[in-house]
Every structure is written in structure tokens, then in C-alpha cells.
Amino acid sequence: MMDFTSDQWVIVALIFILGFLIGGFLFSGGGRKWKTRYREEVARREEIEREQRERVAEWENREKEWREQDSLRAAAIKNPPIDRQLEEERRIEERRVEDRRGDDPAI
């Protein structure tokens, strides 16, 4: 087995200490850094997912309103408004009354 000289032992000790120092500087606070970044990423992802759910709900509500408006529009086309129906019924009733009286506006 080889024996180290005192100079060699000093060099080995210095390299060992240098390794500790470099490792300490490279990984100092590393646990906190990656955990912090991970938590920020998780919070951001949850925020994006919440915004996406809100957008989906908003579009579903809009689509529901659009469908309702379309159905109301279709119903309005099929059935005239109540005011028109009432006006038409009043005209018909006036004609019936005139027919009973014998009034003829043409004469």
C-alpha cells in the first residue's frame, strides 16, 4: 500500500473541503427553491383550470340564452303577439255587432 506524504494529505483535505463548499453553494436552499416553484406551478395550474371552468360555464349559459331566444323568435313567428290577436278579435266583434244592427258602412 502506498503511503501519502503530508503534502498529499493536505491536497486531499483541500479537495474534500472544496467539494463541500461547491456542493453547499450549488444546493443551498435548493429544497426550498424547487418546492416554491412547484407550489407556484400548482397554484397557477389550478387558477387556469378555474378560469377554464368559468369560461365553459359562461359559454353554456350564453348558448342556453341563445337557444331560448331562438325558440321565442320561432314562437313569435308562429303566433302573432297578443295585441295583434286582441285587435283582430275586436275587429271581428265590431263586424258582428254591425251585422246584428244592420248597419252597412258601404251604403
Side-chain angles (χ1 to χ4, degrees), residues 13-69:
L14 288 175
I15 291 175
F16 186 72
I17 292 171
L18 183 65
F20 269 125
L21 291 175
I22 290 175
F25 283 120
L26 287 177
F27 295 109
S28 66
R32 288 182 303 230
K33 288 181 185 176
W34 76 265
K35 285 181 185 178
T36 303
R37 287 192 305 258
Y38 175 75
R39 289 183 183 131
E40 289 172 356
E41 183 179 338
V42 168
R44 179 67 181 142
R45 180 184 49 82
E46 289 173 352
E47 179 183 345
I48 290 172
E49 288 175 352
R50 182 184 48 80
E51 290 174 359
Q52 178 67 19
R53 284 191 302 268
E54 289 173 359
R55 278 192 216 118
V56 167
E58 180 182 346
W59 279 105
E60 287 175 353
N61 288 337
R62 283 185 184 180
E63 187 175 347
K64 183 179 178 182
E65 290 174 6
W66 291 338
R67 275 194 237 116
E68 184 177 336
Q69 288 176 355

Side-chain angles (χ1 to χ4, degrees), residues 73 75-93 95:
R73 190 177 299 122
I77 292 171
K78 286 181 182 178
N79 301 325
I82 296 175
D83 294 339
R84 288 184 187 170
Q85 286 179 343
L86 292 175
E87 187 177 325
E88 186 66 30
E89 290 175 6
R90 191 170 17 129
R91 285 185 197 158
I92 292 171
E93 188 62 33
R95 286 183 195 152

